[in-house]
Amino acid sequence: MTFPSLKSLFWAVVLTAFAGAARSETILFVGNSFTFGATSPVLRYRPEQVTDLNKEGIGGVPAIFKVLTFQAGLDYQVSLETSPGKNFDWHLANRLPLIDRPWDVVILQGQSTLDLERPGDPTRIIEYGRQLSDVLARRNPSARIYFQSTWSRADLTYAKPSPWKGKPIAAMARDVRAGYDRARAVSPAVRGVLPVGEAWTRAMDAGVADPNPYDGVIFGQVDLWGWDQYHASAAGYYLSALVTFGAVTGRDPRSFGEREVAAYELGLSPAQATGLQRAAYEQLTADGLLPEPLGTQGR
């Protein structure tokens, strides 16, 4: 397969954007290293496309989201506020002056184990997720606020002592999602939970991604984890951005196809790009965050 040059890709994106440009919306990503793209090229991916409120020159998952929406002819002004290892309480206590604005959309991502000191305990996510979302909703009652439920960590499933060691790789993602579901139940300002971790599991179940990097990566499959088996690889963060794109815009991630720009720039193969797009779409549909295709309802 022959790819077009980066210059021709750029102009194709520009023409698409001008053809379908919509009203500009603001979106804020609040999170930690799982949002800013640690252990991967995503960390410094296109930082000029987004506004890093901490002025650290980060692109991260928000920059991938920006590139996706640009290709879809949508105009999002993307900002991020991130700090490694932090949970919702830290952002409330330390960054509220930066983030307390009337955003149109907000994505809130907390600690990867729900609680650093008590892994698997959602108490802190529940309490401070409600407080943080309430503050942001007071600034804009119409804001579309989402929690982001993250992935199973291979290190805590296969190597390190944890509540998930020795369990199936899907277990941690399910438990994290359950914690966020409980947080959403007491957070009236939150519209939904983005099922990033479950999209990772779906990619593994479909044979797109390898479920255990400790025994080698199966030929033809992608490793969603970074070198520490904890954070994500470029592929893992790409899948996270696809889920966010689909949930926020209501657009089918499969519409990008094998020539999608961010995947190409991050070094993903056409098969990897389309496989991850399909996993994102299927998980979003299963969660009711995207409509089912015509003719499939009721099956």
Side-chain angles (χ1 to χ4, degrees):
M1 160 179 270
T2 301
F3 278 99
S5 68
L6 284 177
K7 183 176 180 180
S8 62
L9 278 172
F10 171 79
W11 284 111
V13 170
V14 169
L15 292 173
T16 300
F18 276 106
R23 183 186 72 85
S24 176
E25 286 196 299
T26 59
I27 181 169
L28 170 68
F29 289 76
V30 176
N32 51 44
S33 55
F34 278 30
T35 292
F36 70 61
T39 73
S40 84
V42 172
L43 176 66
R44 302 298 178 192
Y45 180 66
R46 288 182 175 261
E48 74 283 355
Q49 300 290 317
V50 298
T51 300
D52 179 357
L53 297 178
N54 292 325
K55 302 185 186 306
E56 295 171 333
I58 290 172
V61 173
I64 302 177
F65 174 87
K66 174 66 176 182
V67 171
L68 294 174
T69 55
F70 190 65
Q71 290 170 89
L74 303 172
D75 185 6
Y76 281 85
Q77 303 304 309
V78 181
S79 299
L80 62 139
E81 189 283 294
T82 58
S83 185
K86 302 303 193 298
N87 216 340
F88 294 151
D89 52 334
W90 186 89
H91 297 284
L92 270 168
N94 297 278
R95 292 293 186 266
L96 198 55
L98 285 178
I99 64 177
D100 189 10
R101 305 179 192 178
W103 309 97
D104 293 311
V105 184
V106 182
I107 311 299
L108 301 176
Q109 179 258 310
Q111 221 283 325
S112 66
T113 60
L114 299 176
D115 190 310
L116 190 61
E117 290 79 28
R118 297 181 297 276
D121 183 349
T123 302
R124 187 169 292 179
I125 288 281
I126 293 168
E127 175 59 25
Y128 293 103
R130 178 186 58 78
Q131 290 186 32
L132 185 54
S133 59
D134 284 352
V135 166
L136 294 165
R138 280 197 292 272
R139 277 289 193 157
N140 179 11
S142 300
R144 307 194 305 280
I145 302 174
Y146 299 89
F147 291 136
Q148 185 191 100
S149 180
T150 54
W151 51 87
S152 296
R153 287 173 47 178
D155 64 327
L156 297 183
T157 298
Y158 300 113
K160 299 177 181 178
S162 81
W164 302 283
K165 187 174 182 182
K167 294 183 178 180
I169 191 61
M172 183 176 177
R174 284 198 303 266
D175 290 348
V176 171
R177 172 62 187 271
Y180 279 105
D181 283 342
R182 289 179 60 186
R184 183 197 176 195
V186 298
S187 303
V190 175
R191 175 171 294 203
V193 178
L194 305 185
V196 170
E198 290 153 299
W200 273 46
T201 303
R202 189 173 289 271
M204 296 175 209
D205 290 343
V208 173
D210 187 277
N212 184 358
Y214 286 96
D215 64 3
V217 178
I218 297 171
F219 179 76
Q221 295 186 358
V222 66
D223 187 353
L224 294 175
W225 291 280
W227 53 261
D228 59 2
Q229 321 306 342
Y230 164 6
H231 294 91
S233 64
Y237 292 122
Y238 180 68
L239 180 50
S240 176
L242 288 168
V243 171
T244 303
F245 167 83
V248 169
T249 68
R251 304 287 185 94
D252 185 345
R254 300 174 304 174
S255 62
F256 293 112
E258 61 184 20
R259 296 176 184 268
E260 194 283 308
V261 173
Y264 179 62
E265 292 180 336
L266 291 169
L268 302 181
S269 73
Q272 289 168 344
T274 55
L276 295 172
Q277 292 165 15
R278 184 172 64 253
Y281 166 78
E282 291 175 353
Q283 189 59 51
L284 288 164
T285 303
D287 268 63
L289 294 170
L290 279 180
E292 294 184 19
L294 291 175
T296 65
Q297 293 89 339
R299 287 187 183 178

